[in-house]
Amino acid sequence: MKHLALGLALAAGLASPAAAEPVTVNLARFFGACEDAGTDTHTSVGEACIIQSIINAASQEIPDVTVKTLPTDWGNYYDHVKAMFAAGDPPDIFVIHRSSIPEFASLGALADIGPDLEAAGIDMSDWTEGAKKAVTYDGKIVAVPMDFHANLWHVNMDIMKKAGLVKDGKPILPHSPEELLAQAKKVKEVTGKDYLAADFSQFPIGVRLVLSLIWQQGSNIFDGDTATIDTPEALNAVKAITQLFDGGYANPKLNYADSQQEFLNGNAAVLVNGTWVVNEYTKQAENPDTGLKDYYVSDFPQLFDQPATWADNHTWAIPSTLKDRNPEKYKAALQVAAFIYNHDADWARTGHMAVRKSVLESKAYRDLPHRAEYVGTEKIARDTPASPEYSKIQDTLNRNLQSIWLTGKDPKKALAEAQNEVQDILDQ
């Protein structure tokens, strides 16, 4: 049964007598699979199930709208979406990172939804400045913000305690590459465990880690149309990580799933991963069969001159062709976007940071588990400059960094080659 209150709101806004015909909205997302998510947005656990419960609830509660979730995996998500656009059959609404918006928007693929947000029940005055910036391209609003997310320092406190690296109930964070190495050596000597786990062989988690360390030195990987990868700062960042592999304190061959499993099995003191797993790891730590018993999550540590950690936003966009050619389905897609947006507090349970001021200021949000442990992350968050070519640049950097970590390629040579490849991309 459709929700009465939402029906009334839509009747005053987008819904119209002519919208009585049922509409099916095709929605593309990543975040993983959850077949039994249900429609309870308050109790679902983990990214995949929380987002799917919200989508299922949207399908149930928005009058005359059915939402069909398309099968799109994270690994090939953007390739899949681009292929759908190329075939002339894009999803009616799809999740997109802030960093990917320039690539799609520069081609005119995203609808200008700004003029229609108020009618859809989305109050832009409730957006944070960062959220508004994330969805703005060429002066137009081309997406609805969903969250702000960043890399965090997930900590197994039992391992850190055994190694003597806990003070006043908090993990002692390293403040330099030398302290990082010293902590890693101590953990290995005392506990026999690895110090750090992360996905260095699959998705760009390793890239984001290195980017954070480059930004901490005031540098970047490109500046406008100029690649800036072959630099002392990038070499310092790579060496800070590579020294852990050379010492046997981290395994460069771990992929995303394996790195998480190592952490949850209690085999690594620290995991570098995003805000999106805080809720899942909190629940895992409550399971007596899990190796992680005492879970803490911290802001990404500062190893160089200034604090910085990689960050991005999830947003929801609608194809411009849908707005131009099918106004009724466009309205339905915007209703779905509004429904997801209005569940910002539910989505924040994943561990992501909210993009609505009203949610951020709420006691319920501040009381979420572990939230106070990484409250400083928003202030140190960074991202690369907006570029339509960023996905190519990220892939190039990931491949070259993996050549260092997985095949032993000389870091200077790999960074020099990455510099040339990225410059070619920027010159196109």
Side-chain angles (χ1 to χ4, degrees):
M1 182 176 180
K2 302 297 184 181
H3 195 278
L4 178 60
L6 179 61
L8 292 173
L10 293 171
L14 282 176
S16 67
E21 291 295 324
V23 175
T24 296
V25 172
N26 292 318
L27 177 149
R29 69 164 180 83
F30 39 80
F31 304 122
C34 183
E35 296 180 356
D36 301 319
T39 58
D40 188 341
T41 63
H42 303 299
T43 60
S44 46
V45 176
E47 249 194 339
C49 291
I50 291 176
I51 187 59
Q52 195 57 49
S53 69
I54 295 173
I55 293 169
N56 292 347
S59 189
Q60 183 181 65
E61 296 184 27
I62 301 175
D64 300 317
V65 174
T66 298
V67 185
K68 179 182 178 182
T69 303
L70 303 176
T72 42
D73 295 330
W74 162 238
N76 61 358
Y77 174 77
Y78 284 114
D79 289 341
H80 191 177
V81 170
K82 291 174 189 175
M84 296 170 75
F85 269 95
D89 188 27
D92 301 319
I93 180 171
F94 63 106
V95 70
I96 181 171
H97 287 95
R98 181 210 69 85
S99 56
S100 292
I101 283 179
E103 180 178 7
F104 285 79
S106 66
L107 300 173
L110 306 184
D112 175 12
I113 62 175
D116 305 314
L117 290 175
E118 184 177 354
I122 298 176
D123 178 11
M124 288 176 56
S125 68
D126 197 28
W127 294 2
T128 64
E129 284 303 310
K132 185 175 182 180
K133 182 179 179 182
V135 298
T136 302
Y137 183 85
D138 198 21
K140 299 176 181 177
I141 303 298
V142 295
V144 176
M146 184 189 189
D147 68 39
F148 167 80
H149 55 269
N151 261 0
L152 300 174
W153 205 247
H154 302 270
V155 181
N156 184 323
M157 291 292 281
D158 285 331
I159 296 177
M160 295 293 278
K161 288 175 185 173
K162 289 178 182 176
L165 295 172
V166 172
K167 183 178 181 181
D168 298 330
K170 299 179 181 179
I172 299 173
L173 301 183
H175 294 91
S176 68
E178 292 76 19
E179 286 188 16
L180 180 77
L181 183 62
Q183 285 201 0
K185 184 178 181 182
K186 196 168 186 180
V187 165
K188 179 64 83 173
E189 289 177 347
V190 175
T191 72
K193 308 290 187 179
D194 279 357
Y195 177 72
L196 184 141
D199 170 16
F200 292 103
S201 66
Q202 187 181 18
F203 301 131
I205 301 291
V207 172
R208 296 166 181 175
L209 199 164
V210 168
L211 281 172
S212 300
L213 299 182
I214 291 174
W215 292 328
Q216 289 189 3
Q217 300 168 81
S219 187
N220 213 327
I221 55 172
F222 65 96
D223 181 7
D225 295 329
T226 303
T228 56
I229 298 173
D230 187 14
T231 63
E233 291 82 6
L235 187 60
N236 290 338
V238 170
K239 285 184 174 179
I241 304 305
T242 306
Q243 66 179 357
L244 300 179
F245 303 142
D246 293 342
Y249 310 130
N251 181 358
K253 296 181 181 179
L254 296 178
N255 60 26
Y256 186 74
D258 290 342
S259 63
Q260 291 190 97
Q261 204 57 56
E262 282 294 284
F263 182 67
L264 294 174
N265 287 344
N267 295 327
V270 174
L271 175 72
V272 177
N273 204 353
T275 47
W276 49 88
V277 288
V278 173
N279 173 248
E280 179 67 31
Y281 293 172
T282 301
K283 293 297 181 183
Q284 289 282 345
E286 296 171 356
N287 183 347
D289 297 328
T290 303
L292 177 67
K293 305 298 183 188
D294 191 353
Y295 172 55
Y296 192 99
V297 55
S298 170
D299 299 322
F300 194 85
Q302 179 184 339
L303 302 186
F304 293 97
D305 299 334
Q306 55 190 276
T309 189
W310 166 88
D312 206 333
N313 297 81
H314 292 127
T315 74
W316 291 91
I318 299 172
S320 57
T321 49
L322 191 68
K323 182 176 181 178
D324 296 339
R325 301 171 185 172
N326 194 335
E328 290 306 317
K329 184 172 268 193
Y330 166 71
K331 289 181 180 178
L334 202 53
Q335 289 172 24
V336 174
F339 189 94
I340 296 172
Y341 170 78
N342 286 326
H343 283 74
D344 194 36
D346 292 320
W347 179 242
R349 290 193 297 105
T350 56
H352 291 315
M353 284 165 270
V355 289
R356 298 181 60 177
K357 298 174 187 174
S358 57
V359 174
L360 287 167
E361 294 167 358
S362 68
K363 183 177 185 303
Y365 178 83
R366 295 195 302 271
D367 288 346
L368 287 171
H370 298 286
R371 187 68 57 167
E373 295 168 5
Y374 58 99
V375 70
T377 290
E378 185 173 7
K379 294 181 180 178
I380 66 174
R382 290 282 305 275
D383 200 356
T384 53
S387 170
E389 308 299 334
Y390 183 66
S391 64
K392 296 178 183 176
I393 293 171
Q394 180 178 250
D395 290 345
T396 298
L397 194 54
N398 197 29
R399 175 166 42 78
N400 279 280
L401 289 176
Q402 287 176 359
S403 73
I404 299 170
W405 297 328
L406 301 178
T407 70
K409 190 171 184 175
D410 178 71
K412 289 184 178 179
K413 185 177 181 181
L415 292 175
E417 291 182 4
Q419 162 103 4
N420 292 333
E421 291 181 44
V422 169
Q423 189 60 60
D424 287 344
I425 293 171
L426 293 172
D427 289 342
Q428 292 175 1

